[in-house]
Amino acid sequence: MGTAPCFHCRHFVNDPKRIESSIPGLNTLSSAYASVRGEAGLCSRLDLFLSPGADCRYFEQDGAEQKGT
Amino acid sequence: MEGKVPATDYCGTKECVEEAPSRPAPMGWREIYLKEDWWAIYLGIGITVIALAAFLNGSSILKSLAINPGGLKWTSFGQLADHFSQNLNLYLLQMLSWLVIFGISTRIMGIKTDEFVPSFIILYVLSIVMFAIGGWADASKYNLEPPLVALILGLIIANVVHLPKWLDSGFRVEYYIKTGIVLLGATFPITLIITAGPVALFQATFISLTTCLVIYFMATKVFGLDKRLGAVLGTGGAVCGVSGSMAIASAVGAKKDYLYTAVTLVVVWALVMIFFIPFVSKAMGLNPGIAGAWVGTSEFADAAGFAAASAYGKMAGNENAAIQGFTLMKVIGRDMWIGIWSFIFALIACLKWEKEECGTRPDAMEIWWRFPKFVIGFLVASLFMTAVTAGYGTADFNKVVKPGLILPIVSLRSWAFIFCFLSIGLTTRFRELKAAGVKPFIAFTTGVVVNVALGFILSVYVFGGHWSMLGQ
């Protein structure tokens, strides 16, 4: 069955710099550039912190933005 | 997950199903140049290999480059000024070396070089000041331990002077501490990990599980908070602070606010513990190995823990013992297992909390992808240097290997740690932290109290004989 993972959604933000600026204090004792984050990111629509493989009804295909950095 | 429905609701047509990618294209092995854990390994192992090559060839270049004013024991500013005027070239060369290796690696990770460079230069200059304070002959009399002074100075600057946010590009707390930990591995006997590791693992696991369950129970059963918030707070307080919260937040699909709440609580309590544990240990005259184990059990994050362990080690006159106790407990006993914690919580969220809605089963490979890779660097460095120095007797080791090979690495490690301790303070802006709310605060604080008390009992009374043997 095909699914629509958040990784390919336009609402999914996993750029480390944007994650750190969205959650002040995150870089004080941790880092969005750490292995432990994996490729998790923020859903800008639902305000959730998600794994890239999560999915939901609000998925919208990401057109241009390069993910995974 | 809130608002979540089976994936079939999204793809109502055959075309849609075929167009939608079945799995995300993962970063996968590109993480070897996009994640700071790997860069910490490259830098730590690279410096170790260069140090060894220089030692074997009789070159003193790395020894000279590893200069710091921390061991001067100066009594007048004139002495300090003489030291800097005589070694100005070495300091400039050292700063340039750090700038190049950190600058290139952060650039590859996506951090802007024009932001990193000025920020790092400020950090380097402040670090020299910290070392100079620590090198004052009377520093220990006034508890002017560089880790604590660095933290306080950083906090003052960040909260009194409104530093521009872009300066954070050079204040990479985690990158510096991970590089320092890999360098620490080069001076950490693998035999110690093998002999003391199991006890550390038992103590750390017992306390982590207890603390996590206490926080989770308080949050969900006593205060009726969301299970996901309970899980994010529980792992933040029990496993590895903000990193633990971040891993579990994504595993269970938590609200961003839950992670933000955990960040605030972890940062505030971690800062308190940096001062509380060393000064209580000092008041009780604890053995530094025992205090290090206590810090390793009860501090939340590596960076904060190293600050506390290093500070008390300096107070007690045996930094090595405190660092060893902390490292065994935190890095070996707790950090390594974050991927498994994350996978278990993902399974619980998928199979129990959202049985009807769990579209994608957790992938066991996440255990590997979330594994804090710098631990591999720590273990490799330890194994490598233990093997290389195994042929030297105690007398030769102390006379030849220690000054020519070990001490330069220790000095460079101290630089990495000072960069980190200053960065903790410089990135802590209290006005930006989120108001956590009374219920999460009490739930988390209950866990902190249980953690600190249990950590003390196990470190001092149950395994005290074991930890007091460290650093000898």
Side-chain angles (χ1 to χ4, degrees):
Chain A
M1 183 181 69
T3 59
C6 293
F7 186 84
H8 294 285
C9 178
R10 62 185 289 263
H11 301 297
F12 188 66
V13 178
N14 73 344
D15 172 59
K17 189 168 184 179
R18 287 175 68 184
I19 291 173
E20 288 189 355
S21 62
S22 296
I23 306 173
L26 183 81
N27 61 337
T28 297
L29 291 175
S30 186
S31 166
Y33 296 84
S35 288
V36 75
R37 179 177 66 86
E39 290 182 81
L42 295 162
C43 170
S44 59
R45 192 181 197 289
L46 300 175
D47 239 9
L48 299 174
F49 194 67
L50 297 165
S51 293
D55 54 76
C56 87
R57 74 171 83 183
Y58 302 106
F59 177 86
E60 288 181 58
Q61 184 72 43
D62 181 27
E65 191 177 355
Q66 180 68 36
K67 295 281 176 61
T69 56
Chain B
M1 183 172 65
E2 197 174 275
K4 192 172 175 183
V5 295
T8 45
D9 274 16
Y10 160 72
C11 286
T13 65
K14 183 174 180 294
E15 288 73 22
C16 176
V17 170
E18 286 172 352
E19 281 170 13
S22 58
R23 301 285 306 161
M27 176 191 296
W29 288 102
R30 284 193 301 136
E31 77 157 1
I32 63 173
Y33 62 88
L34 290 174
K35 295 287 190 181
E36 66 195 6
D37 290 58
W38 287 102
W39 280 107
I41 294 176
Y42 305 148
L43 299 190
I45 299 287
I47 288 171
T48 303
V49 169
I50 291 170
L52 181 64
F55 172 70
L56 294 176
N57 288 313
S59 165
S60 61
I61 184 159
L62 195 83
K63 199 174 168 184
S64 303
L65 261 184
I67 189 170
N68 81 58
L72 277 181
K73 300 294 172 198
W74 57 272
T75 52
S76 71
F77 285 112
Q79 279 177 285
L80 196 60
D82 284 347
H83 169 81
F84 284 119
S85 63
Q86 286 166 15
N87 298 289
L88 185 61
N89 289 346
L90 283 176
Y91 281 108
L92 286 173
L93 189 58
Q94 188 196 60
M95 185 183 74
L96 194 64
S97 303
W98 284 126
L99 250 182
V100 168
I101 58 175
F102 282 132
I104 291 175
S105 52
T106 51
R107 178 72 192 92
I108 293 170
M109 284 189 278
I111 293 169
K112 290 180 179 172
T113 306
D114 58 349
E115 293 179 354
F116 179 84
V117 171
S119 171
F120 185 80
I121 291 172
I122 293 170
L123 190 67
Y124 185 84
V125 171
L126 288 173
S127 298
I128 286 187
V129 175
M130 293 304 104
F131 275 121
I133 291 172
W136 180 32
D138 288 335
S140 59
K141 200 161 81 180
Y142 298 101
N143 284 323
L144 293 175
E145 314 304 342
L148 301 183
V149 179
L151 186 70
I152 292 170
L153 180 73
L155 284 171
I156 291 171
I157 293 173
N159 291 283
V160 175
V161 182
H162 282 226
L163 294 175
K165 191 77 178 166
W166 62 264
L167 278 174
D168 283 8
S169 294
F171 305 152
R172 303 303 318 171
V173 174
E174 283 282 292
Y175 189 19
Y176 302 137
I177 199 68
K178 286 169 182 170
T179 303
I181 290 172
V182 178
L183 287 171
L184 173 67
T187 61
F188 205 106
I190 194 78
T191 45
L192 186 59
I193 298 171
I194 293 166
T195 54
V199 177
L201 185 59
F202 172 78
Q203 179 173 329
T205 304
F206 176 73
I207 295 180
S208 292
L209 280 172
T210 308
T211 305
C212 186
L213 290 174
V214 166
I215 295 175
Y216 185 80
F217 177 82
M218 288 294 291
T220 58
K221 303 295 181 191
V222 176
F223 294 122
L225 299 172
D226 186 353
K227 294 185 186 78
R228 289 167 183 76
L229 178 56
V232 171
L233 292 178
T235 45
V239 188
C240 55
V242 175
S243 294
S245 292
M246 186 163 58
I248 271 52
S250 62
V252 302
K255 289 180 181 174
K256 185 186 94 174
D257 263 7
Y258 293 172
L259 180 54
Y260 199 178
T261 300
V263 166
T264 298
L265 290 171
V266 168
V267 168
V268 169
W269 274 115
L271 290 177
V272 171
M273 288 302 153
I274 288 176
F275 295 93
F276 177 80
I277 297 179
F279 283 104
V280 169
S281 298
K282 187 179 181 185
M284 299 182 76
L286 288 186
N287 173 287
I290 292 174
W294 184 23
V295 174
T297 313
S298 301
E299 229 336 333
F300 307 103
D302 288 350
F306 271 107
S310 173
Y312 184 64
K314 287 176 188 294
M315 288 179 195
N318 190 348
E319 187 184 10
N320 203 27
I323 292 278
Q324 285 183 350
F326 171 79
T327 307
L328 285 165
M329 194 63 69
K330 183 69 172 66
V331 178
I332 305 299
R334 291 165 68 189
D335 288 352
M336 280 174 56
W337 313 101
I338 183 61
I340 291 174
W341 280 85
S342 172
F343 183 63
I344 290 171
F345 268 107
L347 279 178
I348 292 171
C350 184
L351 302 177
K352 196 167 166 56
W353 296 348
E354 48 187 47
K355 281 183 202 165
E356 305 298 318
E357 301 175 355
C358 182
T360 310
R361 288 286 177 92
D363 182 355
M365 274 303 284
E366 283 296 303
I367 295 173
W368 163 249
W369 294 123
R370 291 185 187 281
F371 185 83
K373 312 297 187 308
F374 69 93
V375 178
I376 297 172
F378 169 81
L379 293 173
V380 168
S382 172
L383 190 62
F384 175 66
M385 286 295 275
T386 304
V388 164
T389 57
Y392 292 90
T394 307
D396 277 349
F397 184 88
N398 288 331
K399 191 178 171 188
V400 181
V401 180
K402 200 171 176 182
L405 177 60
I406 301 297
L407 290 183
I409 294 175
V410 169
S411 175
L412 293 172
R413 179 189 88 199
S414 300
W415 277 101
F417 279 1
I418 281 290
F419 296 152
C420 164
F421 301 150
L422 271 166
S423 297
I424 294 175
L426 291 166
T427 53
T428 304
R429 300 175 181 86
F430 291 114
R431 62 187 173 277
E432 289 183 357
L433 295 178
K434 182 181 186 293
V438 175
K439 289 177 181 177
F441 176 79
I442 295 175
F444 191 85
T445 302
T446 307
V448 171
V449 171
V450 169
N451 185 314
V452 170
L454 267 181
F456 179 81
I457 291 166
L458 289 185
S459 301
V460 177
Y461 297 116
V462 180
F463 298 116
H466 184 76
W467 301 124
S468 63
M469 303 296 285
L470 296 174
Q472 292 178 4

